[in-house]
Amino acid sequence: MLSITVKDDGEIVLSGRLDASQVETADAIFDRVATTTRVNFGGLDYISSAGLGVLLKTQKRLSQSGHFLVLTNMNKLVRDVFRIARFDLVFRIEETP
Amino acid sequence: MQRTIKREIRSLEEIFLFLGEFTGSHGIGPEGAYGVTLAVEELFTNMVKYNPQGDPDILLSLACDQRNFVATLTDCGGIPFDVTQAAEVDTTKSLQERPVGGLGIHLVRQMVDTLEYHQNGRCGTVTIVKNLEQSDAFHHR
């Protein structure tokens, strides 16, 4: 299951798994994002191509107005998926120390 | 172990539970579990989306020994599709040029060690193998 919360400062916090069955839930939040926004992956255990698609679609839309997503706190396995997809090229990813 | 899974996206929750039970009871580490789980999701989702005329159920089988974790998906009826022949996506394109779809098979190819397809009569079987002896990183090719 996926849990998404939006904090008072606008940061989106993800936990659980972002898979093909959770796209509608994720879209409901990400479709409302209109400015540069931090997305905290700290509790996210799993992402597949469907989840990457939600983020890519949002990034494309935001870029048209000069905004973007900042992705933070990824665990190693999720970070590997972004690397394999070459999403380093299209997202700002803050590395976890 | 095998299970018949209804051909619908919401079956993913059942698939994740099945995979979680199997990897837990066989002591499969997080890298092996992630790679096979992602591959099964991507392949199953493709069968649901692109072969809606197939039989109502898809068969998922899991097996492992000390070296390999093997998952097979058997999809009968509808239009057979050899997933190993799917075109590779260009992951070097810029943000605006990158299509939102098409990444799934690229991830599968990179995250498991073997991807095979066999057609037998009206059934197509996709087999994925993850080598469990490799280091703690995905197999980048």
Side-chain angles (χ1 to χ4, degrees), chain B residues 15-28:
Chain B
I15 289 175
F16 294 139
L17 278 173
F18 181 39
L19 280 158
E21 288 167 12
F22 186 90
T23 54
S25 63
H26 290 79
I28 294 170

Side-chain angles (χ1 to χ4, degrees), chain A residues 1 17 19-21 45-49 52-53 56 59-60 63 76-77 80-81 84-87 89-90, chain B residues 9 12-13 16 30-31 34 37-38 41-42 91 95-96 98-100 103-104 106 110-111 136 138 140:
Chain A
M1 290 296 285
R17 43 174 75 237
D19 59 66
S21 68
D45 302 317
Y46 175 92
I47 193 166
S48 64
S49 71
L52 295 181
L56 182 63
Q59 186 81 331
K60 281 187 176 204
S63 72
K76 180 185 173 304
L77 295 174
D80 274 346
V81 174
I84 292 167
R86 302 290 298 272
F87 269 27
L89 302 175
V90 295
Chain B
I9 293 295
L12 283 173
E13 202 62 34
F16 294 139
E31 292 80 15
Y34 198 119
T37 301
L38 183 136
E41 177 189 332
E42 302 292 353
T91 55
L95 173 63
Q96 292 307 332
R98 297 247 340 218
V100 171
L103 261 178
H106 171 75
Q110 298 297 314
M111 293 174 69
D136 62 349
F138 288 124
H140 298 270

